[in-house]
Amino acid sequence: MAKYWDRKFNIKLIVVVLLILLLVFAFAFLFKKNNNNPIDIFSCNLQVTADSPSDMHLPIVVIDTHGQKLDENISKTTTTIDNIDFELYENIPKYEADFKLYDSCTNTVILEEKIIISLRGQSSLVNPKKQYGFTFIDENQLEKKVEVLGLPSESKWILNGTYLDKTVMRNYLAYNIGSQMMDYAPRSKYVEVYLNDTNEELSYSKHFLGLYLITEKIERSKNRVNISKVDERYNDVSFIVARDKIKVDDKVYNTYYGNLEEDYILDINSDLKLRSVIKGVYPGKTTITDEYQEKITSYLNDFEVALYSASFKDESIGYRKYIDVNSFIDMALINEIFKNIDGCEVSAYFYKDIGGLLRAGPIWDFDLSLGNTDLAEVNEPTGFRMVNTIWFNRLFQDEYFSNMYKKRYQYFRNSLLSDESIIKMIDETMYQLSDASDRNYEMWYPTSILNYSDEVNDMKDFLLERLSWMDKNIDNVYRYEEVID
């Protein structure tokens, strides 16, 4: 009997000990979950060179080209596309380089890889601060997927440090907002960058480039635009296209209504410029076939014919048969809120999965938004812009689309896009950047009348005024239907 009670006592003791341990772990988890105090960024500092500032708290990228100067190659060449001659920028050269990523809080190299790097952009190539695209490679020169600062492993990345946005915030804010509204928006992290292209010892004074966003490149991938690979077994096809400026070797999809547009248009300053076109992103040059091209063009044609037909509002035979309406609404909404000058006419992506509908997105390129243009009209926080852009000018003539758009705006205005949320987002980003933003500003805009804080406050004021104007005018977003013969 004594052994029985001893055994029973031991079992109770074990149960009590297990319960105590369980409570300890539970309290530890809750404490960790509710402890929102951020790491003190000012306690993190790294000096990768003897002459660098002592307060560099952001991750630092060091690229070494071993003396190779990255050629911007702004010369143009004549290219014929569908029997039309275009003066386009020549392909930009690519270079092999070493890539190192430093953690400023641990003072260690956390990533060291080989890359292929080049300058990127077209009109932005003339700016003093350049942008870069790079691809991680292995010892055999093959693409290598690498995780960067917690972002999912992929091989292709962008160093976005647009010269035209002095805040270096517009893309970051747009992508963050877009990621909470749409299926996917490019993820990004702030870094400070050195480029050693002189074969000399690394130096802050000679090689520092300032503040950049390391950003995911838009491509087909389970971690990015998550669509299936093209497959000959299916009658349908998956694809990514972009309405954008033409570059050399681009695959252009000529649709019925696209062919009706003029090849050159007059902008608001009466300057002649090349219009944007629909060009292929995926399938790429090594994957595209005549059959895939025909299927993609056919789908886009069917959509445009339905969109511009007299029955375009019909749920069964109109545009809704071909597109995911919610994604088009979100795409229009983000571009409208930011009053993006490129809004869905340049750098505008669209994609479709096998068996699915055409979706709008991912969003891209918001540096010329929130009052940051040379055009007085666009710099005003008033007026609807998306109602006059390609495709969307017709979509807003449907009460269904316009009403859904209004509901979506009001939903986010009470949460993600509230004044409090917007102010918090901008202030937290400014705090995160701290001295890094001042360094970048002093380096690239030394003669500017305003300081960095002034630039951020102007952007913040524009966005709040923009939202206030939209609150009062959102009911007027519907456009009266035009009669199309």
Side-chain angles (χ1 to χ4, degrees):
M1 179 66 71
K3 289 183 179 180
Y4 169 79
W5 286 110
D6 287 343
R7 191 181 304 112
K8 189 173 181 181
F9 175 80
N10 288 338
I11 292 172
K12 287 183 178 179
L13 182 61
I14 290 170
V15 170
V16 170
V17 171
L18 289 174
L19 286 173
I20 291 173
L21 290 172
L22 186 62
L23 287 171
V24 169
F25 281 119
F27 278 118
F29 173 79
L30 289 173
F31 176 80
K32 182 179 180 180
K33 182 177 180 181
N34 293 313
N35 183 15
N36 293 321
N37 295 323
I39 295 174
D40 182 8
I41 60 173
F42 303 107
S43 67
C44 301
N45 55 78
L46 173 65
Q47 288 184 279
V48 296
T49 68
D51 62 339
S52 63
S54 60
D55 56 356
M56 300 183 76
H57 62 280
L58 292 175
I60 293 175
V61 169
V62 176
I63 297 169
D64 190 346
T65 65
H66 303 285
Q68 301 175 96
K69 295 288 185 181
L70 302 189
D71 185 3
E72 59 192 29
N73 193 10
I74 57 174
S75 57
K76 292 187 176 183
T77 185
T78 301
T79 300
T80 302
I81 301 175
D82 295 316
N83 299 318
I84 301 173
D85 290 337
F86 296 93
E87 290 293 319
L88 305 178
Y89 287 105
E90 294 182 357
N91 286 325
I92 300 174
K94 298 180 179 181
Y95 305 85
E96 186 173 340
D98 293 330
F99 178 98
K100 287 184 180 180
L101 178 62
Y102 291 82
D103 184 333
S104 59
C105 286
T106 61
N107 290 321
T108 57
V109 177
I110 57 176
L111 186 61
E112 187 170 2
E113 298 285 349
K114 293 285 187 182
I115 62 171
I116 298 293
I117 187 171
S118 65
L119 294 166
R120 70 182 307 273
Q122 293 192 61
S123 56
S124 62
L125 286 173
V126 301
N127 295 328
K129 187 182 182 186
K130 310 299 182 184
Q131 303 191 76
Y132 305 87
F134 67 93
T135 302
F136 289 110
I137 57 172
D138 62 19
E139 62 276 7
N140 298 316
Q141 304 286 306
L142 299 176
E143 292 185 10
K144 179 181 180 181
K145 294 186 177 183
V146 176
E147 179 182 315
V148 179
L149 295 173
L151 303 180
S153 296
E154 290 297 344
S155 58
K156 297 177 181 177
W157 301 84
I158 305 296
L159 276 173
N160 181 287
T162 173
Y163 176 77
L164 298 177
D165 178 14
K166 295 178 181 178
T167 70
V168 201
M169 273 196 201
R170 286 171 169 86
N171 281 322
Y172 181 77
L173 295 173
Y175 298 159
N176 276 356
I177 291 172
S179 68
Q180 299 177 69
M181 293 175 63
M182 309 181 77
D183 285 348
Y184 168 74
R187 305 174 188 91
S188 59
K189 297 280 188 178
Y190 280 110
V191 293
E192 291 188 276
V193 176
Y194 287 82
L195 174 63
N196 187 348
D197 57 359
T198 64
N199 236 357
E200 300 174 308
E201 182 179 352
L202 189 68
S203 163
Y204 178 84
S205 59
K206 294 181 180 179
H207 303 124
F208 184 65
L209 298 184
L211 182 63
Y212 281 76
L213 274 175
I214 190 165
T215 306
E216 294 176 327
K217 180 180 173 65
I218 294 178
E219 61 180 346
R220 191 207 69 80
S221 161
K222 68 176 182 179
N223 294 317
R224 295 182 182 177
V225 181
N226 189 11
I227 57 176
S228 307
K229 289 184 178 180
V230 289
D231 193 326
E232 294 179 352
R233 295 174 299 172
Y234 299 103
N235 291 326
D236 200 4
V237 64
S238 59
F239 61 84
I240 306 172
V241 295
R243 185 177 288 281
D244 208 349
K245 302 169 187 174
I246 306 175
K247 293 187 293 186
V248 173
D249 297 334
D250 277 341
K251 170 60 66 179
V252 176
Y253 293 103
N254 287 307
T255 59
Y256 296 145
Y257 283 87
N259 287 332
L260 295 177
E261 298 170 1
E262 296 294 332
D263 297 307
Y264 290 88
I265 59 176
L266 290 175
D267 65 17
I268 198 167
N269 291 325
S270 298
D271 295 324
L272 194 66
K273 69 176 184 178
L274 192 65
R275 69 170 172 83
S276 61
V277 298
I278 300 176
K279 63 183 190 179
V281 177
Y282 177 84
K285 297 173 186 177
T286 61
T287 315
I288 191 68
T289 64
D290 291 342
E291 183 181 2
Y292 291 150
Q293 183 178 347
E294 183 179 340
K295 287 180 178 179
I296 294 169
T297 304
S298 177
Y299 194 93
L300 295 172
N301 273 329
D302 290 344
F303 161 56
E304 287 191 337
V305 168
L307 179 64
Y308 292 107
S309 72
S311 304
F312 79 107
K313 298 180 182 180
D314 189 284
E315 183 177 358
S316 300
I317 63 174
Y319 70 87
R320 279 187 265 174
K321 180 181 177 181
Y322 299 97
I323 70 169
D324 178 87
V325 174
N326 289 338
S327 69
F328 274 72
I329 286 172
D330 288 342
M331 177 81 127
L333 193 54
I334 297 172
N335 279 280
E336 190 68 82
I337 288 167
F338 276 71
K339 205 173 186 184
N340 186 9
I341 192 172
D342 290 338
C344 293
E345 293 194 324
V346 179
S347 301
Y349 288 81
F350 304 87
Y351 65 96
K352 178 190 173 303
D353 204 352
I354 293 173
L357 301 174
L358 183 67
R359 303 179 69 89
I363 58 172
W364 188 253
D365 204 357
F366 281 71
D367 54 330
L368 297 180
S369 69
L370 297 177
N372 187 41
T373 78
D374 293 330
L375 306 178
E377 172 197 335
V378 186
N379 287 346
E380 291 297 324
T382 58
F384 289 116
R385 187 168 180 79
M386 290 302 299
V387 296
N388 298 315
T389 59
I390 300 170
W391 289 352
F392 291 90
N393 54 359
R394 185 65 163 167
L395 290 171
F396 278 106
Q397 293 174 30
D398 181 12
E399 296 93 335
Y400 173 83
F401 187 91
S402 299
N403 289 334
M404 291 286 288
Y405 180 89
K406 287 187 283 187
K407 290 178 182 178
R408 191 74 166 158
Y409 170 78
Q410 290 159 352
Y411 171 79
F412 283 114
R413 189 70 174 102
N414 292 319
S415 53
L416 177 64
L417 298 174
S418 68
D419 286 0
E420 295 77 11
S421 178
I422 292 296
I423 293 170
K424 182 173 183 287
M425 193 181 308
I426 294 174
D427 288 349
E428 286 180 348
T429 304
M430 191 172 180
Y431 175 82
Q432 175 191 352
L433 297 180
S434 184
D435 294 329
S437 56
D438 292 329
R439 270 190 296 276
N440 185 80
Y441 198 84
E442 291 165 6
M443 178 177 186
W444 294 111
Y445 318 104
T447 61
S448 179
I449 298 174
L450 302 177
N451 60 34
Y452 181 75
S453 295
D454 293 333
E455 295 284 352
V456 173
N457 287 331
D458 284 351
M459 180 188 69
K460 184 192 296 184
D461 291 343
F462 183 98
L463 183 50
L464 294 175
E465 290 175 26
R466 177 81 178 139
L467 289 166
S468 176
W469 183 89
M470 288 185 67
D471 289 343
K472 299 169 186 172
N473 293 275
I474 194 67
D475 288 333
N476 300 322
V477 73
Y478 169 70
R479 306 287 100 172
Y480 288 105
E481 181 180 349
E482 297 176 5
V483 178
I484 298 179
D485 296 330

